[in-house]
């Protein structure tokens, strides 16, 4: 059965196309820097936003019109799987991601919930046999149900903690069953609302123990996915523990977990934390911990996570630069953790939105690759830091000097001529690169 | 010579006093929880704001009227020292803090700058012989001079790096000479404006080497002060490397420096980073890294560091709670990194402001001590986390369980009854505590 | 039938009481400045948060445990009315407020919706006969249902506009039926998401016409309530048209509506707009447009409307100062547009929260009244602006001068000595006032 | 004498040029939509940032290297005039703008200040005789000097008020002398820090009287420039009175000034107020009050006015759309109220920055013009609001209906089918337009 009958298979038609159901930039087989776009851009559909989400917001009911609205329970869950693979195929996306509750409804007991999940997972596995689309990552939703009001692995209640362990245990099993590349931890309610009633130390100790047990269990069952932490500040819990990449890095080091995790970095979470998307990517990259990406964008005039589909080409270009310099994302991918606006409620908008995002990243890829081929940023940086390549500078970077020697050096210096950073010139050049993408 | 002739020695007169030149709550000898206020509240005057600052802002010239305005250069520097010790004595504050350039003017060469500093340091040392007031910490200003435009220990220029090393070397020597309890690193321009021209990895590597050399040199000269990092986000550099306590903790761990540093935590820097003051104190406390405090407050409706004198009693109470639970601040203190508003330009405002801040912390101390005596928060927390004290909870906190056992536990659970967090009730009770401070 | 069996009638017990079900400050009959607290503090319960709200948030399902959870549809609606009046009586609050959909469920047609509403309104009216509690204001919810996705009176669709008119028409009729003191317009989705698809001018023109028709209809049916606009920025629509008091004032003037509306000012909406609560109150007060108050508070570290119960005593004191200087709120009141936190899901929390808020405003009233009795702010202001009382200053305020005369005056001035604003001293004094409330 | 010897006359070389001293998009004589770029884009240099600014920030001294650094006082002022006209000529900008103190130093008395100004104004006038560059607007700086600590026309001191009047009187005379197209009021310190010491009503009344006197005086001397208010929130005064366009509109209406003023809209002020640039432009446009533009951009991750040169092409495109739809800016222009970054301190950066900004607006113009030629937004809007063109919708927009008729209409409606807003599709199309600019 087809769910998106109006929508054809989305094909590449080039930047002059006015067909809304065509890619203008994303050409899967086109080679960029020696690899095909398909190899560079491991796009993933986020099941929760695209298949499960209903467009509700704190002030209004769901608006989404979906071909499975007339169904409910397991019937609806199955219809969604069918629709999902139709959508994957029409967009030709290589990956998808899901939380447990996205794909199968909760039952009246944990047992029943797991049973529901088993049915759907089997169905998904069956679809995957003939589909190009694979599982980028799965995760456990430990924030929607009221039992998680005060957290999951950082809950104030041991039963909730145990329940959460059972959920992640199941998640690891499901991930193994479906061949997931990664397993993600986004601490939906791992944080605190106010210190007035919180034992922060106990909660963090418990969280670390939880991660250690998860690692042990994955090893035990032979599930070799990359574990990823997805940092996010402020929402839904006022003080989320994984505020940003640096915060989570501190935690991993403090609990001896830094070898076992990488990061899943979301653009909108970066800006909510007061950083740029590229900042978070760079911080993770320099630590060797850039694992995967939640490709979306936010509205910096708003104070919450809007999870918009990415269309800002400055952002996609600088993100792709970081990814290319990282040698790609390894087992990670570009997951559209993005939802159509509440006002974009028609089924077709799901396609328009993914096309917008995929083209935006294809443009970013092409521009970033050109920047790298031209050594654009590298030339700027090499020139700007050139004094570190010889004499006292070389000693500094080699760790072969000390304060006394440096003071002697400083005392004999006349005035120091620092160089202009030339940011305005660089930004203008970047605009030139961007606007010539159609020539690439 | 006296500089503040209108201002008498500030004495405690009690909460009913209407004398603006009296403490209403801070009574140095009053015992709170077995120790005198003087022992609890190691107040410090920030030389830069109170002696050197002129009230200028990005849109206007300095407004401060100071008795040393008619002087300049070293004469002015000396007058400030005299005035400083008069102010310390009239307020009876036990500590002060300074940057090198606060106390002595820069010369036309590093040599001359150091010579100027030596003269003033000798003068300060002389004053300290007969003063109760000691040096809480000193630091090097590596952000005002244009040579530091692109950073100091994270500059793009090896000469600037060497110059910075010479400044900190001198700072360590000065600290030793004056018996400083701590040495502070606030990375004024240690950060980057844009990744478009930045080698983030090189800059952080260099910064870590810088800290290692500083530690080596302090050891070499036998300066045993506690080293403190003062985190701050966003300002003046868009992406400050020491964004918050967690970020700096990650850095310290990544470069093997976590044993050698604690934190100097500023209230306004906390809120700029999107955290509460008490959050930053708690995060540092649970890591055993709460070193000292910059006692001020910000305006959360504004996006920059306003460095206001602390008067918000909710904030001082929760801060003092963290400090008391930390067993005090050790070698640290409460430094008023706070400036009178540009419109509060009269000399007397310096006293009004310090009195406001000292009383606010005295109130916070008394309320926090009462909360602890009553086990107020401890009772809430003990009750809230009680399931972790026995059975499966005890196993969790002891690290004696695993996912399989936890799943078994979860499977046999009926519905989990989580407890209300009762935040509204707690906040009302906190108001009651605060409003009864006059009975304490 | 009783719904809150654990909860006794809430009585005043004084500031030393540790009974969570007692007022510590709010004593209805206590006289403050010649009037009873009951007369000063026209508290109102917000039906949506306290009777209808379920504690859901964008990341989680409802958590609220309510004695009417087992019911649904009209039965639940009726149970809520019963429970509401029990709660009103136990708290002895004089007012309540509601949106149409808070009290009665939507039917499958507008007709059925109105019929449902009629049944419940009749029931409410019946209860009101024997209750002290009256209707402060009602309003129409024109943001929850998907038909309002793109707005109501500013929708892009004429049918939606007509539907909205029908809703407000009914709302005016209901208000008249129940004797509402005011009628509120909060433009839930009156705004735009992006200019990329918006005709801002048409939408505002339509909104003005809508208001004119509402005024006409109220007049026609003899409903003499005060019309109130409740400004709010950013949420749920990115660009809400009624951003703040000033923005809505501009709109009213541009469309000749300024005589017919006052403002309902919410604390949390003020801070979201970048203002303080007292700023919005003052701006409305100086225009003679302070109509009513939504008494809550936000978290300025978060970027959305948290609608917390008010407990910040600085805020309640300064708010009550504005209200007292306004000569009270006229037909307006203090509506707790505040919700218990998602984690405060127990029925009793509803009482704890209202007690917290009522006591916080009682404290604010007492402190503000004392400040006024002492002419505290008035003395500061009179002194600060004294040059406007004579000579050239008097001419300025009387409008009896011109640029030439003022230039002549300026040219003969020597240096101008401006006065210190002394903010730090004032803040310390304000703390003294606050902490002496138990003596009042 | 030449000041910028390295810099040639900046010529148009096309988008493929790698010459940093060439325009890639701005071609003065190129026709866009029937008019030359020169006619569309009335660029202006902001004297304060480009000639007077030194690159200082709250944490550091000035960094700018300028060919007139060795001079001071009037000699420096004269050198700046020479350099200014060299820069205007090399960039071929048609306009410039200044505050009084930008061009001439303050003297030791108002008389001397005015005399200084007269000398420089005469010199400027002389240069203008042979220059293409005209005065877009001038204004009075009433925020830098300490006398303006508490405001100017809203000061608490009548002498300051008189002094301010004298400054604006002189400003109007200077504007007339130099043939200024506009006169701008940016209320640098017209606002308040805290209500604790403020009489808001008196301050606003005084401000309105000030404006009336300014209008009277301009009329008296026959200076027919357009008066412009430039709104800005938060900085330097916490609560600036002219928060945004809407706030200033309310003020103008309340004091009968709405016919006499238009707005000068700055991009960075818009975002600081929580709006987009295009929002402020649209709000002013629909009121017929779009007067002129301060063309810059901010960093929405920072909380203050960064005044960056505009390079964001989304922003310049949407701004130019509003300007084109406004039929141009009339007597207004595009003033680069933008400063090179503190780290871009070399003289050449002044040119790089202006080239970046001029090209960014040329691109914006070309794309916006194409969008209008294609009726891109108009088609979207016409389709989206089509129900207002007939039947009940036509009655609504004509003001020929009422609540009873609308209710009748609503009652007979079946379900209302609202249309998707299709934001994602529109954004993707906008990217296509932008990336095809090189074909235009
Ligand atoms: Co995500
Ligand atoms: Co997100
Ligand atoms: Co500090
Ligand atoms: Co600070
Ligand atoms: Co609200
Ligand atoms: Co409200
Ligand atoms: Co600006
Ligand atoms: Co401007």
């Amino acid at each position: 059965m087809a769910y998106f009958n109006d929508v054809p298979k989305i094909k590449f038609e080039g930047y002059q196309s006015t067909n809304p159901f065509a890619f203008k930039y994303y050409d899967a087989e086109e080679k960029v820097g020696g690899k095909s776009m398909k190899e560079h851009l491991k796009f993933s559909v986020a099941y929760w936003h695209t298949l499960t989400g209903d467009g509700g917001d704190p002030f209004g009911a769901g608006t989404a019109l979906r071909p499975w609205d007339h169904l409910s329970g397991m019937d609806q869950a199955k219809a969604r799987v069918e629709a999902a693979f139709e959508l994957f195929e029409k967009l030709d996306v290589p990956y998808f991601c899901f939380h447990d509750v996205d794909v199968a409804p909760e039952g009246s007991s944990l047992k029943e919930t797991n049973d529901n999940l088993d049915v759907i997972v089997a169905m998904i596995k069956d679809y995957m046999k003939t589909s190009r689309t694979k599982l980028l990552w799965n995760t456990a939703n430990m924030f929607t149900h009221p039992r998680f009001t005060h957290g999951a692995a950082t809950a104030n209640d041991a039963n909730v903690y145990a329940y959460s362990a059972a959920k992640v245990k199941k998640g690891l099993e499901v991930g193994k069953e479906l061949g997931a590349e990664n397993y993600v931890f986004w601490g939906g309610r791992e944080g605190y609302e106010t210190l007035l009633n919180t034992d922060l130390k106990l909660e963090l100790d418990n969280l670390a123990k939880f991660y250690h047990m998860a690692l042990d269990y994955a090893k035990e069952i032979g599930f070799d996915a990359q574990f990823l932490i997805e940092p996010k500040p402020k929402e839904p819990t006022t003080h989320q523990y994984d505020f940003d990449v640096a915060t989570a890095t501190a935690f991993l080091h403090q609990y001896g977990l830094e070898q076992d995790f990488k990061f899943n970095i979301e653009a909108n979470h970066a800006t909510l934390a007061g950083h740029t998307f590229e900042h978070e990517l760079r911080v993770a990259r320099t630590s060797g911990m850039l694992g995967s990406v939640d490709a979306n964008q936010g509205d910096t005039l708003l104070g919450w996570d809007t999870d918009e589909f990415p269309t800002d080409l400055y952002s996609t270009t600088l993100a792709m630069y970081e990814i290319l310099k990282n040698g790609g994302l390894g087992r990670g991918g570009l997951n559209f953790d993005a939802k159509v606006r509440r006002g974009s409620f028609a089924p077709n908008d799901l396609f328009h939105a993914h096309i917008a995002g995929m083209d935006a990243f294809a443009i970013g890829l092409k521009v970033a690759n050109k920047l790298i081929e031209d050594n654009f940023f590298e030339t700027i940086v090499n020139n700007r830091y050139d004094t570190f390549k010889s004499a006292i500078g070389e000693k500094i970077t080699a760790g072969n000097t000390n304060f006394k020697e440096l003071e002697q050096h400083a005392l004999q210096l006349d005035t120091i001529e620092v160089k202009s950073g030339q940011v305005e010139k660089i930004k203008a050049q970047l605009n030139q690169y961007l606007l010539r993408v159609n020539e690439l």
Side-chain angles (χ1 to χ4, degrees), chain A:
Chain A
M1 179 200 162
Y3 292 83
F4 304 106
N5 289 305
D6 314 354
V7 183
K9 169 101 182 165
I10 311 301
K11 299 205 178 113
F12 171 72
E13 295 189 1
Y15 69 84
Q16 295 174 318
S17 169
T18 58
N19 176 3
F21 292 119
F23 295 119
K24 285 81 185 178
Y25 288 91
Y26 179 67
D27 181 4
E29 303 305 332
E30 182 181 338
K31 284 283 198 309
V32 177
K35 288 203 298 186
S36 70
M37 281 204 185
K38 190 163 69 175
E39 290 167 288
H40 279 295
L41 300 168
K42 296 162 66 187
F43 291 125
S44 160
V45 170
Y47 210 96
W48 52 101
H49 284 313
T50 289
L51 280 308
T52 317
D54 69 358
D57 73 11
F59 296 85
T63 58
L65 302 175
R66 299 289 177 256
W68 50 84
D69 284 345
H70 58 293
L71 301 170
S72 67
M74 286 295 281
D75 289 339
Q76 191 179 53
K78 288 173 188 171
R80 280 191 181 120
V81 173
E82 294 172 347
F85 280 89
E86 182 188 341
L87 181 140
F88 301 160
E89 195 272 336
K90 286 188 168 162
L91 288 168
D92 197 25
V93 286
Y95 289 100
F96 70 115
C97 299
F98 66 82
H99 305 77
D100 44 9
V101 304
D102 303 333
V103 296
E106 288 214 37
S108 58
S109 67
L110 177 56
K111 169 85 172 53
E112 188 181 323
T113 300
N114 285 349
D115 290 347
N116 286 349
L117 195 55
D118 288 340
V119 172
I120 301 296
V121 166
M123 184 178 170
I124 289 173
K125 192 173 182 182
D126 214 46
Y127 265 90
M128 286 173 75
K129 284 179 194 157
T130 56
S131 168
R132 177 198 162 209
T133 303
K134 293 184 285 188
L135 183 57
L136 185 64
W137 49 262
N138 66 315
T139 186
N141 174 322
M142 306 199 291
F143 45 91
T144 297
H145 193 281
R147 78 175 68 85
F148 301 115
T149 297
H150 302 301
T154 64
N156 64 318
D157 187 301
N159 291 320
V160 175
Y161 187 96
Y163 199 98
S164 305
K167 293 257 287 180
V168 173
K169 177 174 175 290
K170 185 71 181 172
L172 297 172
E173 292 158 6
V174 165
K176 180 168 156 51
E177 177 75 5
L178 297 179
E181 302 279 350
N182 308 273
Y183 188 85
V184 164
F185 292 88
W186 171 58
R189 296 197 193 267
E190 312 295 24
Y192 69 88
E193 183 189 342
T194 167
L195 284 178
L196 299 181
N197 64 11
T198 299
D199 187 338
L200 181 141
K201 176 92 171 53
L202 176 65
E203 295 198 358
L204 289 177
D205 288 351
N206 282 350
L207 179 60
K209 292 188 177 88
F210 194 91
Y211 284 146
H212 280 292
M213 287 189 278
L215 286 163
D216 290 346
Y217 188 70
K219 198 169 176 188
E220 182 177 336
I221 64 172
F223 178 41
D224 72 341
Q226 173 67 53
F227 274 31
L228 301 172
I229 284 179
E230 180 175 334
K232 182 181 177 188
K234 296 185 179 178
E235 197 196 39
T237 308
T238 307
H239 302 273
Q240 295 277 134
Y241 288 131
D242 295 328
F243 190 87
D244 57 9
V245 168
T247 303
T249 299
F251 171 83
L252 293 172
H253 274 276
Q254 289 178 312
Y255 291 98
L257 288 158
E258 73 274 15
Q259 301 298 326
D260 300 304
F261 283 82
K262 288 189 174 176
F263 291 107
N264 183 43
I265 293 174
E266 179 176 324
N268 204 156
H269 296 180
T271 50
L272 273 180
H275 309 304
T276 59
F277 186 18
E278 56 269 24
H279 171 89
E280 287 291 87
L281 294 168
R282 178 72 64 93
V283 171
R285 173 161 78 86
T286 60
S287 306
M289 296 171 91
L290 173 49
S292 198
V293 168
D294 268 10
N296 67 9
Q297 69 186 19
D299 183 334
T300 51
L301 297 179
L302 299 179
W304 63 92
D305 195 17
T306 60
D307 282 343
E308 300 174 24
F309 272 87
T311 59
D312 185 294
L313 301 179
Y314 295 108
S315 179
T316 60
T317 297
L318 295 177
M320 285 312 304
Y321 175 80
E322 296 299 327
I323 291 167
L324 290 175
K325 295 293 280 189
N326 197 56
L329 288 171
R331 302 184 71 174
L334 294 167
N335 175 49
F336 290 114
D337 188 358
K339 62 183 171 197
V340 288
R341 300 300 81 199
R342 187 172 183 270
S344 301
F345 46 72
N348 290 356
D349 289 311
L350 296 173
F351 290 86
H352 297 150
H354 279 89
I355 292 167
M358 291 166 80
D359 275 340
F361 268 89
I363 295 163
L365 167 64
K366 294 180 85 165
V367 179
N369 182 67
K370 176 66 174 161
L371 288 163
I372 289 172
E373 283 180 357
D374 290 359
N375 280 310
F376 179 71
F377 292 125
E378 291 69 19
T379 304
I380 291 167
V381 163
N382 283 335
N383 179 275
R384 198 163 172 249
Y385 294 83
D386 61 358
T387 56
F388 284 109
K389 279 177 216 136
S390 60
I392 193 70
E394 200 173 13
K395 283 190 167 185
I396 291 166
T397 54
N400 285 334
T401 185
N402 57 50
F403 269 19
K404 282 197 267 189
E405 185 179 35
L406 290 167
E407 184 188 49
Q408 285 312 308
H409 180 84
L411 282 167
Q412 55 75 36
L413 284 169
D414 216 32
T415 49
I416 303 174
E417 286 201 24
V418 287
K419 290 174 189 164
S420 165
Q422 299 198 313
V423 176
E424 294 81 4
K425 183 174 134 186
I426 298 170
K427 286 191 173 179
Q429 290 172 327
L430 195 59
N431 274 342
Q432 278 187 282
Y433 269 95
L434 177 60
L435 295 180
R436 295 184 70 176
V437 68
N438 292 349
E439 301 174 30
L440 299 176

